[in-house]
Amino acid sequence: MEDQKLLELADKAKEAAYAPYSNFKVGAALQTKNGKVFTGCNVENSSYGAAICAERCAAVKAISSGEREFEVIAIASSGEDTVYPCGICRQVLHEFGPDMKVICQSANGYESYRLSELMPKGF
Ligand code: THU
C-alpha cells in the first residue's frame, strides 16, 4: 500500500483513541509482509502508567491474528509536531520488523525512516 494511503488509515484510526488524560490522540496503521493491514489507537488508563500506545495496539492486533513479519507502520496524531514512536514501541516493533519502514506524520506531510535508524542495536 502507498505511504500516503497507510497514513490516511492511521489518521482515521486515531479517532477511536481513548485519551481523556492527555487529550493527545494517536493512530497507527501497520502493514505486514503479506499485505495485511492492522490499525490501532492509544488507550489510556486512570492509572496513567497503563496507557497503551497506538503502535503497540496495532502490533498486538497483528501478532494476535497470527502475523509475525512487519513491513511498514504509519503514525498520525492530533498534535502539530511530527509524531515519533516511543522507546517501548520501537523495541516491540523491532522484534517483528527490525528494518521495517516507519512513516511519521509531520506538519508538511510525513517523514520516512527505517526502524533500524530509530532503534539501532535493539535488544
Ligand atoms: N502515544 C502513542 O500512542 N504513540 C506515540 O508514538 C507517542 C505517545 C500516546 C501515549 C499516550 O496515550 C499519549 O500518546 C500521550 O503520551
Side-chain angles (χ1 to χ4, degrees):
M1 187 179 288
E2 283 176 21
D3 291 358
Q4 191 59 48
K5 178 70 187 153
L6 206 61
L7 200 57
E8 279 169 26
L9 290 178
D11 200 52
K12 197 170 166 202
K14 85 172 190 296
E15 296 312 321
Y18 176 73
Y21 305 106
S22 71
N23 281 316
F24 187 72
K25 293 184 170 190
V26 186
L30 186 158
Q31 185 174 315
T32 63
K33 281 207 171 149
N34 61 28
K36 291 187 189 162
V37 174
F38 298 85
T39 60
C41 62
N42 54 332
V43 182
E44 298 186 345
N45 187 268
S46 57
S47 72
Y48 290 25
I52 298 164
C53 293
E55 297 91 324
R56 267 177 291 147
C57 178
V60 166
K61 282 168 74 174
I63 295 300
S64 60
S65 299
E67 300 300 312
R68 292 292 183 269
E69 291 187 298
F70 298 171
E71 180 98 34
V72 49
I73 189 167
I75 309 158
S77 83
S78 56
E80 308 255 299
D81 297 337
T82 308
V83 57
Y84 303 106
C86 80
I88 295 174
C89 289
R90 291 180 198 201
Q91 176 61 38
V92 169
L93 294 172
H94 178 272
E95 184 93 6
F96 304 101
D99 200 37
M100 67 187 294
K101 187 154 76 167
V102 181
I103 299 166
C104 306
Q105 188 184 56
S106 67
N108 303 324
Y110 65 89
E111 299 171 13
S112 180
Y113 300 93
R114 287 282 162 190
L115 184 63
S116 50
E117 289 178 77
L118 303 177
M119 186 67 180
K121 298 184 169 65
F123 185 67

